[in-house]
Amino acid sequence: MALTLFDTDEYRPPVWKSYLYQLQQEAPHPRRITCTNELTSLVRRATLKENEQIPKYEKVHNFKVHTFRGPHWCEYCANFMWGLIAQGVKCADCGLNVHKQCSKMVPNDCKPDLKHVKKVYSCDLTTLVKAHITKRPMVVDMCIREIESRGLNSEGLYRVSGFSDLIEDVKMAFDRDGEKADISVNMYEDINIITGALKLYFRDLPIPLITYDAYPKFIESAKIMDPDEQLEALHEALRLLPPAHCETLRYLMAHLKRVTLHEKENLMNAENLGIVFGPTLMRSPELDAMAALNDIRYQRLVVELLIKNEDILF
């Protein structure tokens, strides 16, 4: 009789294969795993359990209640998903199918798939960069490159608004074509259209670049009077940002610092840019309109401080 890989002591299978083999041996003979879907589910389950032991930053799954057509097995517990409708939940970003109760135990290891992530604007920032396997959103990289190549001396850069219909065209181009979108001078001669598209991207983020969780710490830091303590508080606040958000913020602040170096031509210093980008990058988690209004001056100050101290804080 032919030997399997598991019949020799010399073979040391990976953790997930050992776990899969154990499940196969424990299963009743008629249910020995032959179904492709169930086999895949078991491998996924074992891999998920193995990954739970690895302490690293991961993206949370975006689970939505889903009705599956045909027989389906939970990709976490490997059990059948019973029912005719709403049998479980499906991650809208990576397609993982699990029971609703299992979704609470699945590790935060979502790896977004481009077939599920169909747009650029209004897409969660971490989801976008993981789907495209990039450090930052391509909108940010491409717009900043275009602005720095031909717009740093433009008067009122970022303060002057571009034509809204053309800004919407740029948004649609990114949503449709991604990194292949054409935002060159041949398509959009007015640089204010590109700056407008960049600001719109940040405004459309479902979770702001400076996240709701980190927002209070940033506002608190802006209220500190001692300069050294203020920078230390800002540094601590930056640690609260998800890695993709922090990297994007670093890149943006370095760009805005370069904009200020052309202040004589573009008339945009750190204070002016703070006025423009404060409400764009930060949104109060409070629903109280008066509280949010009172925070505006501190939002401006946060961005101004980040620009001026970009080389120290990042």
Side-chain angles (χ1 to χ4, degrees):
M1 184 174 65
L3 294 176
T4 67
L5 287 174
F6 294 97
D7 290 328
T8 173
D9 292 332
E10 298 173 355
Y11 179 74
R12 293 283 187 268
V15 174
W16 70 264
K17 288 188 178 179
S18 298
Y19 181 70
L20 176 57
Y21 178 67
Q22 180 183 351
L23 290 174
Q24 288 175 318
Q25 296 305 306
E26 292 175 355
H29 181 71
R31 288 196 70 248
R32 287 292 172 87
I33 302 170
T34 55
C35 174
T36 302
N37 287 342
E38 191 168 0
L39 180 61
T40 303
S41 299
L42 288 170
V43 171
R44 187 70 158 275
R45 173 190 172 191
T47 305
L48 290 175
K49 288 184 177 293
E50 184 179 4
N51 287 343
E52 284 179 336
Q53 304 170 5
I54 304 173
K56 61 180 180 179
Y57 168 77
E58 298 287 0
K59 180 191 174 302
V60 177
H61 288 276
N62 182 19
F63 286 121
K64 307 287 185 184
V65 176
H66 190 77
T67 295
F68 300 95
R69 294 183 179 180
H72 270 76
W73 284 261
C74 174
E75 295 185 51
Y76 181 77
C77 72
N79 290 321
F80 188 73
M81 303 175 79
W82 296 96
L84 297 176
I85 60 171
Q87 304 98 321
V89 293
K90 183 185 185 79
C91 179
D93 298 330
C94 71
L96 180 69
N97 306 319
V98 297
H99 290 115
K100 185 176 181 180
Q101 61 269 31
C102 290
S103 67
K104 300 173 184 177
M105 298 178 284
V106 174
N108 299 333
D109 65 344
C110 179
K111 296 178 176 60
D113 191 323
L114 285 176
K115 68 181 180 182
H116 297 293
V117 181
K118 299 183 183 296
K119 59 183 179 179
V120 173
Y121 278 69
S122 303
C123 177
D124 173 70
L125 191 149
T126 301
T127 299
L128 186 68
V129 298
K130 286 179 75 70
H132 289 269
I133 317 177
T134 57
K135 291 177 66 175
R136 298 172 297 271
M138 86 280 287
V139 178
V140 177
D141 280 5
M142 291 175 63
C143 285
I144 286 179
R145 281 200 301 267
E146 193 66 26
I147 292 163
E148 294 196 351
S149 69
R150 59 184 175 98
L152 288 178
N153 293 327
S154 177
E155 184 175 330
L157 189 67
Y158 284 114
R159 180 179 56 80
V160 177
S161 299
F163 189 46
S164 59
D165 285 355
L166 292 179
I167 292 173
E168 193 67 24
D169 284 346
V170 175
K171 172 184 175 179
M172 292 173 61
F174 275 115
D175 282 340
R176 182 182 62 249
D177 304 325
E179 60 186 12
K180 296 181 180 179
D182 185 1
I183 59 171
S184 67
V185 65
N186 296 327
M187 286 294 294
Y188 305 101
E189 184 177 354
D190 183 4
I191 197 63
N192 297 312
I193 295 169
I194 309 303
T195 59
L198 181 60
K199 290 186 292 182
L200 179 61
Y201 171 75
F202 288 120
R203 287 198 301 270
D204 279 358
L205 284 174
I207 300 176
L209 185 61
I210 294 178
T211 61
Y212 294 122
D213 290 341
Y215 182 91
K217 189 70 175 176
F218 277 95
I219 295 298
E220 287 173 16
S221 67
K223 297 178 181 179
I224 297 174
M225 301 304 295
D226 183 80
D228 292 334
E229 292 181 9
Q230 189 175 59
L231 286 180
E232 182 62 30
L234 272 174
H235 192 263
E236 291 297 320
L238 287 168
R239 292 181 179 179
L240 299 177
L241 295 177
H245 284 246
C246 191
E247 166 58 24
T248 303
L249 183 62
R250 179 201 65 78
Y251 190 75
L252 177 63
M253 292 303 109
H255 161 65
L256 295 181
K257 184 71 170 286
R258 290 190 289 273
V259 171
T260 64
L261 298 179
H262 296 258
E263 179 187 351
K264 288 184 178 179
E265 293 78 24
N266 59 39
L267 306 180
M268 295 300 289
N269 56 24
E271 182 180 357
N272 292 336
L273 290 169
I275 293 172
V276 172
F277 277 95
T280 301
L281 305 181
M282 306 177 69
R283 296 198 295 273
S284 172
E286 299 291 335
L287 297 178
D288 184 359
M290 284 304 299
L293 191 62
N294 290 332
D295 281 353
I296 289 180
R297 58 175 174 165
Y298 297 115
Q299 293 173 355
R300 297 171 179 174
L301 184 56
V302 165
V303 175
E304 180 182 345
L305 289 169
L306 289 173
I307 295 172
K308 288 181 176 178
N309 300 283
E310 167 268 331
D311 54 337
I312 300 172
L313 292 170
F314 294 95

